[in-house]
Amino acid sequence: DAEITQSPRHKITETGRQVTLACHQTWNHNNMFWYRQDLGHGLRLIHYSYGVQDTNKGEVSDGYSVSRSNTEDLPLTLESAASSQTSVYFCASSESWAGELFFGEGSRLTVL
Amino acid sequence: GQQVMQIPQYQHVQEGEDFTTYCNSSTTLSNIQWYKQRPGGHPVFLIQLVKSGEVKKQKRLTFQFGEAKKNSSLHITATQTTDVGTYFCAGLDSGGSNYKLTFGKGTLLTVNP
């Protein structure tokens, strides 16, 4: 069955370190998204991509970057982790840009 | 920018009672989607509404999209313990070409058996 997987599921890091969260989907979806979820804020869009070599900033993109070198993967990089980036991160993909999102199981990141 | 407000933030009901969550957008929407997230889980798509005034049902769940396409509601009849979770609406802005699917902050539903 097609799926979307995130790794690692849990990570603890220190302030200032670079962190990369992986997202891999096997649906062959062109559209992929990264969200963060925090209490009181719901789901907020960090970055998104409509296809290979395409990346776009979402509403909370500062301190994050993504790259899309193939259809299956959209890794999220925190260049210099900050405590404010402690959160649960969800990757999602969709077949159409306006269609339903399929979410991964999430990556819980703690920045000390 | 676009804002999607969702109320209530929390709702506790006795099993068998009904439940409704409301979603209001500051802008006209192309479509609205609803998701459910179980405690400790990830959001799972429930439904998408596209047409003005649209009503869709899934067993005990009824979804409505307002005539002006700026508000929506999810109603659960006779709640069960399996309905526990956070329900999110997500509105797709109809303006411009940039992707603008904005999530509400969600309504956490707890059900007392």
Side-chain angles (χ1 to χ4, degrees):
Chain A
D1 287 344
E3 59 181 4
I4 180 166
T5 55
Q6 294 183 230
S7 63
R9 295 291 311 282
H10 302 271
K11 184 169 181 68
I12 300 174
T13 190
E14 296 177 342
T15 300
R17 290 191 179 269
Q18 184 180 79
V19 176
T20 296
L21 305 179
C23 176
H24 179 81
Q25 53 98 3
T26 59
W27 277 297
N28 203 35
H29 288 165
N30 283 324
N31 310 296
M32 296 185 71
F33 310 84
W34 274 103
Y35 288 87
R36 60 177 290 175
Q37 184 173 37
D38 306 285
L39 279 174
H41 290 280
L43 289 155
R44 292 181 292 175
L45 183 64
I46 305 172
H47 281 286
Y48 60 100
S49 169
Y50 289 147
V52 177
Q53 303 301 331
D54 176 75
T55 61
N56 305 280
K57 294 181 178 180
E59 64 177 305
V60 290
S61 60
D62 287 349
Y64 303 94
S65 64
V66 294
S67 61
R68 189 87 182 271
S69 58
N70 58 53
T71 301
E72 296 80 15
D73 299 290
L74 187 70
L76 177 70
T77 298
L78 288 68
E79 301 294 342
S80 178
S83 57
S84 60
Q85 295 176 308
T86 292
S87 185
V88 179
Y89 291 87
F90 287 101
C91 180
S93 71
S94 68
E95 183 174 11
S96 71
W97 73 278
E100 68 175 279
L101 297 176
F102 294 84
F103 283 86
E105 295 190 351
S107 296
R108 182 176 295 274
L109 176 67
T110 301
V111 183
L112 301 176
Chain B
Q2 179 193 16
Q3 292 187 356
V4 175
M5 307 299 293
Q6 194 173 349
I7 57 170
Q9 191 174 1
Y10 307 98
Q11 184 77 58
H12 179 75
V13 299
Q14 290 291 128
E15 189 171 22
E17 292 181 340
D18 292 356
F19 159 77
T20 305
T21 175
Y22 301 91
C23 190
N24 290 286
S25 170
S26 58
T27 60
T28 302
L29 302 171
S30 294
N31 71 47
I32 193 155
Q33 301 172 18
W34 286 91
Y35 292 81
K36 176 183 179 180
Q37 184 177 22
R38 295 184 186 277
H42 59 279
V44 175
F45 176 82
L46 293 176
I47 207 160
Q48 178 173 282
L49 304 172
V50 179
K51 299 177 182 177
S52 169
E54 189 170 15
V55 178
K56 287 188 175 180
K57 293 189 176 183
Q58 290 179 349
K59 297 183 180 179
R60 295 178 295 104
L61 279 60
T62 301
F63 303 85
Q64 295 189 359
F65 201 10
E67 294 290 341
K69 301 185 73 173
K70 295 181 74 173
N71 58 76
S72 182
S73 65
L74 159 60
H75 179 82
I76 301 178
T77 303
T79 56
Q80 300 175 358
T81 55
T82 54
D83 295 325
V84 165
T86 301
Y87 292 85
F88 293 96
C89 63
L92 186 66
D93 197 315
S94 59
S97 60
N98 291 325
Y99 184 86
K100 291 182 181 178
L101 182 67
T102 302
F103 280 80
K105 293 184 178 180
T107 297
L108 173 61
L109 172 65
T110 55
V111 179
N112 198 31

